Amino acid sequence: FSAKERDQLLGQLKDSNKLFYLIRFYAGLRPGETIALTWKDYIDGNFLITKTKSKSEAKNTTKTLRDRVVPVHPKIKEALKNTTRQLHDNHIVINRYGHGYATYETFAKSLNIVMRRLEIRYRPPYNARHTCATTMLESGMQPAYCAQVLGHSLKEFLTTYARWIDQDKSAEQAKIWASID
């Protein structure tokens, strides 16, 4: 998704759907990691990713079997300040009854509806994670750091996202020429 499309989608999504995709677009979490997030996982401005949910089954490990720390973007921090915490459920993304989600399929449906309404070309909802990865690279973050944040091996990350690295060489070349006396 382009930045404009991302912002349009987030502008139209409501409540838990918006929070779910805000986390996906700006932290790059996998869908199961996002619905498994609890307030205990939000520590000092970071998400500690240690678990996932898949097909209604909670797993006390990640897809890659490695825990990781994901920095939380200021837009997510702001949304979390305005998110109601439930006494009976510790999940960050909760349904209208105040409980965490068992699966993430409902979120795909809501994004598809908003894409159609906004006449945005269909992309699988998983592309929110890809959007985060490419945005990180386009902003100049190092591939090894991006891989770590997203929970990829460096090899896997480069296989998937290499074409986004140094896509615009002209700006980089201009910096080099400007630094040479």
Side-chain angles (χ1 to χ4, degrees):
F1 296 96
S2 69
K4 180 182 175 184
E5 290 171 331
R6 176 200 60 212
D7 294 344
Q8 287 177 317
L9 291 166
L10 290 171
Q12 292 292 309
L13 290 165
K14 303 291 181 221
D15 304 321
S16 61
N17 291 302
K18 182 173 185 167
L19 182 58
F20 178 84
Y21 281 105
L22 190 66
I23 293 169
R24 302 281 326 284
F25 276 121
Y26 285 99
L29 299 189
R30 294 177 178 95
E33 294 169 343
T34 305
I35 64 170
L37 274 178
T38 64
W39 288 103
K40 293 175 188 170
D41 301 323
Y42 182 49
I43 305 165
D44 298 327
N46 296 295
F47 288 137
L48 178 59
I49 307 303
T50 61
K51 59 191 170 298
T52 190
K53 277 189 178 178
S54 177
K55 298 179 183 164
S56 300
E57 181 186 338
K59 297 179 182 178
N60 287 323
T61 186
T62 64
K63 176 184 174 185
T64 58
L65 307 177
R66 289 187 306 251
D67 295 352
R68 67 185 192 280
V69 175
V70 176
V72 175
H73 189 280
K75 289 185 181 196
I76 300 171
K77 287 180 185 178
E78 188 62 33
L80 292 176
K81 281 185 203 173
N82 299 318
T83 299
T84 304
R85 293 186 191 203
Q86 296 296 319
L87 295 175
H88 58 279
D89 195 316
N90 196 30
H91 285 90
I92 290 177
V93 180
I94 55 173
N95 62 26
R96 65 178 172 234
Y97 304 110
H99 299 286
Y101 285 85
T103 66
Y104 45 82
E105 283 76 16
T106 185
F107 295 106
K109 291 175 187 172
S110 65
L111 187 69
N112 292 339
I113 290 167
V114 174
M115 274 191 278
R116 275 194 302 275
R117 183 182 322 137
L118 294 172
E119 298 180 355
I120 292 175
R121 178 178 59 86
Y122 173 80
R123 255 89 23 103
Y126 200 83
N127 282 17
R129 179 171 161 83
H130 298 315
T131 299
C132 179
T134 56
T135 301
M136 292 167 75
L137 289 170
E138 289 170 344
S139 70
M141 292 183 182
Q142 295 299 314
Y145 176 74
C146 297
Q148 178 185 345
V149 167
L150 294 170
H152 284 296
S153 68
L154 183 56
K155 179 181 177 184
E156 180 183 6
F157 184 83
L158 291 173
T159 300
T160 306
Y161 299 107
R163 68 176 184 247
W164 294 96
I165 299 171
D166 296 331
Q167 194 171 17
D168 183 8
K169 300 237 186 232
S170 60
E172 194 63 30
Q173 187 62 49
K175 284 187 212 173
I176 292 169
W177 286 123
S179 69
I180 298 173
D181 288 330

